[in-house]
């Protein structure tokens, strides 16, 4: 808890709606998307950049620790307080007023508390969208802080690639506002300061406003489930698709048999397209798209996809064993249901990893072979963005497993998975969820001392106050 006079002072700055201090009202903010549960001293809910600045300045001058919270959809304990009851949450949930669309520039200036779904709903009438496709519905500030990628990274890139400018409040005694909200795509006039605040977990400053690149909504799409001849054929299949489809290819998502089977069991309304209901060992969701409406005499995208798949099928040492072309809404329904399906199998321990594209299947095969010996009762339910080397490496422990009574089990499991991913396969322990308290120890262990020293220097330079859940120095 913090002294009552701090609550009174912050209420004067933010108003009655801007401060939540009763324990029963803070629970939703203290509870994370999956397994986080902390205790906050208070929750601040500013509605403007000026209010964020004033509140942050007060907290820094009084030595109060702040944890920025956006949509609270992350999985690495980055947006929830610890258990001390001494950290103040600063939520972006009221920072939603600004929405300035520039259709000619194909960009939008928007407050950081706006949710992704709301942004795209408002853009829909203009045939534009922010091209980061996620299963969750985060707020934009958190997407910037974690540099999210998503299912269509292959075509559109991540948040970093689609951010033109930012407005940021620094955690110093003045609550300094940095106006980096540039609308330009080309601006080589020195250091690109906005990059310091993208993907760094909110430790260097609180994003309050974003200027985002927009893309045209596809008017034609075609999708298919592809069954590779084997795990070793996934990359050749991707290469064959890219060679023949170029910029048409917008998604290439991998799904393991265990993940799919768990999802069909949890969501019986999903259509099972596989012969006899037998799920293959591995399945690829492929999507191709065009931004223009169908033209007279133009080959449909379904026909394009079927033609390309037939060509690959007939090639020498074909990497494709089977394919099912189907309606996009049915195909994507399975992919979007995977996180919930896997979660209901038992205790879920999730990893967000990234590899070179050629290593992702080798890593997964290696872990599936080693897991029964290392950790019996743990089931691998992996799925992810194979086209860009990302994998949601989900491990599920049976509810009655004796492993759950072992206090050291989860730490040993995490240590082993990260050691194999980073040391043997030269991968990343955080593909698109940033660091957070859950990954702090691995950042400390795997980051070279000089880089930690430089990051610590940037933290001191930008936000010397107690900001964020991550220690960069």
């Amino acid at each position: 808890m913090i002294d009552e006079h701090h609550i009174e002072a912050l209420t004067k700055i933010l108003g009655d709606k801007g401060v939540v201090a009763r324990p029963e009202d803070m629970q939703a903010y203290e509870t994370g998307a999956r397994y986080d549960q902390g205790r906050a001293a208070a929750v601040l809910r500013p509605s403007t950049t000026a209010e964020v600045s004033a509140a942050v300045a007060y907290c820094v001058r009084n030595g109060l620790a702040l944890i920025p919270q956006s949509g609270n959809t992350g999985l690495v304990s980055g947006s929830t307080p610890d258990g001390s009851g001494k950290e103040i949450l600063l939520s972006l949930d009221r920072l939603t007023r600004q929405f300035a669309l520039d259709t000619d520039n194909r960009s939008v200036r928007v407050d950081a508390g706006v949710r992704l779904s709301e942004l795209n709903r408002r853009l829909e009438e203009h045939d534009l969208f922010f091209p980061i496709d996620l299963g969750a519905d985060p707020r934009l500030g958190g997407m910037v802080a974690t540099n999210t990628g998503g299912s269509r990274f292959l075509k559109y890139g991540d948040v970093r690639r689609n951010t033109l400018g930012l407005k940021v409040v620094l955690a110093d005694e003045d609550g300094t506002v940095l106006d980096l909200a540039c609308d330009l795509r080309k601006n080589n006039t020195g250091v690109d300061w906005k990059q310091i605040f993208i993907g760094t977990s909110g430790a260097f400053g609180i994003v309050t406003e974003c200027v985002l690149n927009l893309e045209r909504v596809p008017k034609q799409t075609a999708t298919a489930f592809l069954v590779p001849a084997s795990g070793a054929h996934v990359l050749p299949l991707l290469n064959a698709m890219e060679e023949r489809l170029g910029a048409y290819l917008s998604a290439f998502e991998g799904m393991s048999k265990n993940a799919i089977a768990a999802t069909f069991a949890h969501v019986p309304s999903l259509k099972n397209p596989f012969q006899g209901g037998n799920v293959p060992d591995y399945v690829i969701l492929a999507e191709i798209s065009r931004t223009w409406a169908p033209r007279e005499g133009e080959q449909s995208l379904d026909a394009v996809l079927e033609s390309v798949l037939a060509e690959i099928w007939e090639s020498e040492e074909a990497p494709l064993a089977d394919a099912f072309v189907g309606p996009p809404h049915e195909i994507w329904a399975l992919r979007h249901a995977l996180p919930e399906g896997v979660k209901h199998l038992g205790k879920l321990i999730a990893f967000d990893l990234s590899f070179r594209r050629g290593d992702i299947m080798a890593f997964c095969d290696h872990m599936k072979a080693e897991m029964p010996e290392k950790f019996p009762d743990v089931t691998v339910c992996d799925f992810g963005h194979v086209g860009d080397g990302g994998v949601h490496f989900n491990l599920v422990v049976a509810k009655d497993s004796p492993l759950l009574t072992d206090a050291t089990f989860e730490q040993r499991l995490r240590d082993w998975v990260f050691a194999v991913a980073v040391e043997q396969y030269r991968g990343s322990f955080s593909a698109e969820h940033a660091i957070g308290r859950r990954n702090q120890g691995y950042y400390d262990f795997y980051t070279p001392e000089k880089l930690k020293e430089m990051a610590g220097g940037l933290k001191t330079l930008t936000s010397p106050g107690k900001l964020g859940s991550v220690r960069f120095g």
Side-chain angles (χ1 to χ4, degrees):
M1 295 294 292
I2 60 174
D3 291 343
E4 186 63 31
H5 77 273
H6 289 313
I7 300 296
E8 293 174 359
L10 288 164
T11 301
K12 287 182 179 179
I13 294 171
L14 300 177
D16 291 337
K17 292 183 178 180
V19 179
V20 179
R22 295 195 308 174
E24 60 270 27
D25 296 332
M26 293 192 290
Q27 290 180 359
Y29 297 93
E30 296 170 328
T31 305
R34 185 161 290 166
Y35 27 52
D36 306 333
Q37 180 66 56
R39 192 160 62 92
V43 178
L44 307 184
R45 303 176 64 229
S47 61
T48 66
T49 295
E51 288 186 354
V52 174
S53 173
V56 169
Y58 179 88
C59 290
V60 173
R61 289 196 299 267
N62 289 276
L64 304 176
L66 278 170
I67 304 294
Q69 183 178 98
S70 185
N72 200 20
T73 60
L75 305 178
V76 294
S77 304
S79 61
T80 48
D82 61 20
S84 69
K86 297 179 180 180
E87 294 180 331
I88 295 175
L89 289 177
L90 191 146
S91 172
L92 303 183
D93 62 357
R94 293 178 67 220
L95 204 64
T96 58
R97 297 179 181 180
Q98 182 172 210
F99 181 89
L101 176 63
D102 185 340
T103 55
D104 289 334
N105 197 47
R106 229 182 342 99
S107 65
V108 65
R109 187 176 294 224
V110 63
D111 277 348
V114 172
R115 287 197 181 273
L116 177 62
S117 61
E118 173 64 12
L119 173 64
N120 283 331
R121 185 191 67 77
R122 297 184 67 174
L123 293 172
E124 189 174 7
E125 65 180 288
H126 304 280
D127 288 331
L128 296 170
F129 78 125
F130 186 50
I132 309 297
D133 180 69
L134 302 171
D137 188 18
R139 299 184 190 275
L140 298 174
M143 294 177 69
V144 171
T146 57
N147 188 32
T148 50
S151 299
R152 293 183 172 91
F153 182 106
L154 184 64
K155 182 167 186 172
Y156 299 110
D158 54 11
V159 166
R160 187 183 302 279
R161 175 172 156 186
N162 289 282
T163 299
L164 304 181
L166 299 172
K167 189 171 284 186
V168 182
V169 174
L170 304 182
D172 58 19
E173 292 191 352
D174 297 320
T176 300
V177 178
L178 287 186
D179 190 349
L180 310 171
C182 177
D183 301 285
L184 305 177
R185 288 176 172 80
K186 301 174 74 174
N187 182 27
N188 293 303
T189 55
V191 177
D192 189 359
W193 291 105
K194 70 176 181 289
Q195 300 297 344
I196 292 174
F197 306 99
I198 301 175
T200 48
S201 304
F204 296 159
I206 300 173
V207 173
T208 62
E209 184 179 309
C210 313
V211 184
L212 304 173
N213 170 68
L214 305 176
E215 297 290 344
R216 300 200 177 278
V217 174
K219 297 296 182 64
Q220 305 176 61
T221 59
T223 52
F225 287 133
L226 312 180
V227 180
S230 70
H233 285 88
V234 170
L235 184 61
L237 178 57
L238 173 58
N239 288 333
M241 296 282 284
E242 289 180 326
E243 178 185 351
R244 291 163 174 80
L245 291 163
Y248 278 12
L249 186 62
S250 49
F252 194 87
E253 297 283 288
M255 302 176 287
S256 67
K257 178 178 181 177
N258 286 342
I260 295 173
T263 303
F264 281 146
H266 178 64
V267 189
S269 61
L270 287 172
K271 183 178 179 180
N272 187 333
F274 306 109
Q275 188 171 7
N278 297 317
V279 179
D281 287 338
Y282 204 77
V283 178
I284 298 294
L285 185 162
E287 177 190 79
I288 62 175
S289 59
R290 290 176 179 150
T291 58
W292 60 88
R295 297 166 178 159
E296 186 176 352
E298 181 179 60
Q299 190 178 30
S300 72
L301 274 189
D302 280 342
V304 170
L305 184 55
E306 290 171 358
S307 175
V308 165
L309 293 177
E311 185 177 330
I312 295 172
W313 190 296
E314 294 168 1
S315 64
E316 187 175 351
E317 298 182 2
L320 185 62
D322 208 346
F324 309 83
V325 177
H329 69 278
E330 290 185 5
I331 297 287
W332 278 105
L334 173 59
R335 172 62 183 86
H336 288 150
L338 290 178
E340 282 299 309
V342 169
K343 187 171 71 173
H344 282 79
L345 273 183
K347 177 179 172 56
L348 178 62
I349 302 173
F351 300 83
D352 171 42
L353 308 175
S354 178
F355 302 92
R356 294 172 298 173
R357 297 197 317 181
D359 288 339
I360 189 169
M361 296 306 299
F363 167 81
C364 290
D365 289 344
H366 173 93
M367 300 304 279
K368 289 169 186 175
E370 294 289 322
M371 190 67 72
E373 180 179 343
K374 296 276 188 182
F375 295 96
D377 295 339
V378 174
T379 302
V380 180
C381 296
D382 56 300
F383 58 88
H385 320 304
V386 176
D388 59 63
V391 59
H392 296 291
F393 191 68
N394 297 297
L395 304 180
V396 182
V397 187
K399 295 176 182 178
D400 58 351
S401 171
L403 289 175
L404 296 181
T405 64
D406 180 352
T408 69
F409 154 66
E410 185 169 341
Q411 188 65 55
R412 290 187 292 111
L413 177 64
R414 288 185 178 277
D415 289 348
W416 175 61
V417 171
F418 283 138
V420 175
V422 177
E423 297 170 22
Q424 291 186 228
Y425 287 91
R426 292 185 290 168
S428 168
F429 62 82
S430 179
E432 57 184 10
H433 282 280
I435 301 173
R437 286 193 309 277
R438 189 165 291 276
N439 286 339
Q440 181 71 60
Y442 301 104
Y443 170 83
D444 295 340
F445 183 76
Y446 287 116
T447 305
E449 289 302 318
K450 186 61 178 178
L451 295 185
K452 286 190 284 189
E453 178 186 333
M454 292 168 63
L458 283 174
K459 173 70 172 72
T460 301
L461 175 67
T462 56
S463 289
K466 300 175 182 177
L467 179 67
S469 60
V470 179
R471 304 184 311 274
F472 274 104

